[in-house]
Amino acid sequence: MKKGISYFGVRNPEWVAKDLATIKDGGIDYVVHTFSEEDMEFYLDTMRKIVRTSKEMGLEVYLDPWGVARIFGGEAYSKFLLLNDDARLVTREGKKGYGACMNNPDTLEFMKNWVDAAYYAGGDYIFWDEPHFSLITNKDGCFCNICGEKFKEEFGEELKKATPEDLSLFRGLTKLNFLKEVMEYSHIKGMKNVLCLLPHDEDLEWEKFAEIKFLDVFGTDPYWVLKPVGFENWMKTRVEKVSKLSRRFGKESEIWIQNFKVRKGEEVLMEKVANTAMAYGIDRISAWSFRGTSYMSYIKSEDPEGVWKKLLEIYSKI
Ligand SMILES: [Zn+2]
């Protein structure tokens, strides 16, 4: 089982090198570097240096489109959205939403530019992190003209009259088709594709995602912060599903452990996730984020150093 950690927030290569040494000393095999629109524009060669340093230390590198176009998870803003009003999600009431439409050709073109930048920076893997529709503005999906036409083509009716079931299916298919296209593009460039579905994403059967041709690693992030009641059983069903589907379609599997917003006493849950992942033969286990996310006040753990120590203890037993 390979062990990973995500890393963000520091763009001074000298300091990153010190942290990477700490990561390597912790017996960790791969690092997930966030690669936001800000990184792409203002830190491109800095990121290239950071990736190179990571590889020189023997770490595999994932690059994560962190908050890019507000389609993926991450605490980062999007300039693409500001400059491309026509590519924004549209609500049922016709208002602009917080995120780019995955069916819009401009969004796809921009994502391919992002992949080009990630390739330049030297990533081995692209980490397609929690693709979703904005929960703030577009829970039902996107109602722009492009989506309206697509829906009519595929479902033979007006998008605004769609049933909740059809809306859910359409959201799922939209995510699926978008991911297929960007994954093919990064595959052609010689990079591998990792997908992390939100654990509560039920728009489409997960097997549709697991079987994507150019997908290499399939996983999810069952964080207890998302399911405070009934966590253990819920987490187990997700781990089991990832394990089964990855095996069926010949992919590697990956499970994430919550290392942010961990309250004192919850460290024991980290061990439960790791043990479940081991029991189901998961190939990769990773944690969000470095040192209990001590440096981002918004989501830091109550005892970040305790979380980090616990993670290293868990990893040392794997
Ligand atoms: Zn749309």
Side-chain angles (χ1 to χ4, degrees):
M1 196 188 233
K2 284 189 179 175
K3 293 159 277 183
I5 192 79
S6 75
Y7 186 86
F8 65 88
V10 182
R11 291 297 176 250
N12 178 343
E14 280 176 43
W15 193 266
V16 175
K18 288 180 201 171
D19 286 341
L20 289 171
T22 303
I23 287 169
K24 189 66 192 169
D25 287 346
I28 289 172
D29 305 295
Y30 64 101
V31 59
V32 181
H33 286 298
T34 59
F35 189 56
S36 65
E37 290 182 40
E38 187 186 15
D39 291 320
M40 179 185 171
E41 182 168 358
F42 300 119
Y43 292 91
L44 184 57
D45 280 289
T46 308
M47 286 306 298
R48 197 178 191 194
K49 194 168 179 191
I50 288 170
V51 169
R52 194 168 56 225
T53 306
S54 308
K55 288 187 182 179
E56 281 166 3
M57 289 191 183
L59 294 162
E60 277 181 351
V61 177
Y62 287 16
L63 289 179
D64 177 345
W66 207 45
V68 169
R70 294 307 310 162
I71 289 171
F72 301 98
E75 289 79 10
Y77 292 139
S78 168
K79 180 173 168 183
F80 173 76
L81 275 189
L82 278 173
L83 295 182
N84 295 274
D85 216 41
D86 290 344
R88 280 171 68 184
L89 294 167
V90 175
T91 67
R92 192 189 281 277
E93 296 76 29
K95 287 187 181 162
K96 298 286 183 180
Y98 185 47
C101 171
M102 290 179 234
N103 280 322
N104 190 301
D106 291 343
T107 306
L108 275 159
E109 194 191 322
F110 178 68
M111 280 318 304
K112 288 177 184 175
N113 291 342
W114 180 90
V115 171
D116 290 341
Y119 177 72
Y120 175 81
D124 304 313
Y125 293 80
I126 301 293
F127 181 61
W128 303 105
D129 188 6
E130 303 178 339
H132 66 281
F133 287 84
S134 169
L135 288 176
I136 304 168
T137 58
N138 287 76
K139 267 186 205 162
D140 287 348
C142 179
F143 295 84
C144 76
N145 291 337
I146 294 170
C147 285
E149 277 169 32
K150 254 206 159 78
F151 186 82
K152 208 167 188 180
E153 253 170 51
E154 285 166 28
F155 291 74
E157 52 178 303
E158 295 294 324
L159 177 56
K160 281 188 180 167
K161 291 179 189 159
T163 61
E165 292 74 29
D166 281 354
L167 281 178
S168 172
L169 184 58
F170 186 55
R171 287 195 303 272
L173 290 171
T174 298
K175 281 179 272 190
L176 180 69
N177 291 330
F178 173 79
L179 288 168
K180 277 184 182 170
E181 190 158 341
V182 290
M183 282 187 191
E184 179 171 10
Y185 189 76
S186 71
H187 173 84
I188 290 167
K189 296 212 152 240
M191 292 183 287
K192 289 190 172 175
N193 291 300
V194 186
L195 175 60
C196 177
L197 285 182
L198 279 166
H200 48 263
D201 189 335
E202 280 164 5
D203 287 330
L204 203 59
E205 294 292 322
W206 282 17
E207 63 175 76
K208 297 286 177 210
F209 294 98
E211 70 178 358
I212 295 177
K213 189 174 173 191
F214 297 114
L215 176 68
D216 299 283
V217 185
F218 178 65
T220 189
D221 48 2
Y223 301 141
W224 55 88
V225 72
L226 300 170
K227 183 77 179 170
V229 178
F231 168 71
E232 280 182 49
N233 205 35
W234 173 83
M235 175 269 294
K236 202 176 142 198
T237 58
R238 268 71 188 165
V239 175
E240 186 178 9
K241 196 146 74 158
V242 163
S243 168
K244 270 190 189 164
L245 290 174
S246 301
R247 229 164 268 188
R248 190 192 315 165
F249 296 109
K251 317 289 186 186
E252 282 186 69
S253 51
E254 180 173 67
I255 291 295
W256 282 81
I257 308 176
Q258 181 181 331
N259 269 211
F260 61 92
K261 274 190 177 175
V262 178
R263 286 177 299 192
K264 272 188 191 158
E266 285 181 344
E267 291 83 356
V268 63
L269 296 174
M270 294 164 56
E271 202 146 26
K272 290 200 167 149
V273 177
N275 288 341
T276 307
M278 276 192 275
Y280 282 97
I282 296 294
D283 301 303
R284 290 170 176 260
I285 191 152
S286 198
W288 197 284
S289 188
F290 181 56
R291 283 196 183 278
T293 323
S294 62
Y295 38 87
M296 184 180 260
S297 52
Y298 182 60
I299 54 167
K300 69 184 278 193
S301 298
E302 268 181 14
D303 174 19
E305 277 310 300
V307 169
W308 176 242
K309 268 191 196 155
K310 183 73 183 172
L311 182 73
L312 293 185
E313 183 199 314
I314 291 167
Y315 276 6
S316 72
K317 290 188 215 151
I318 292 174

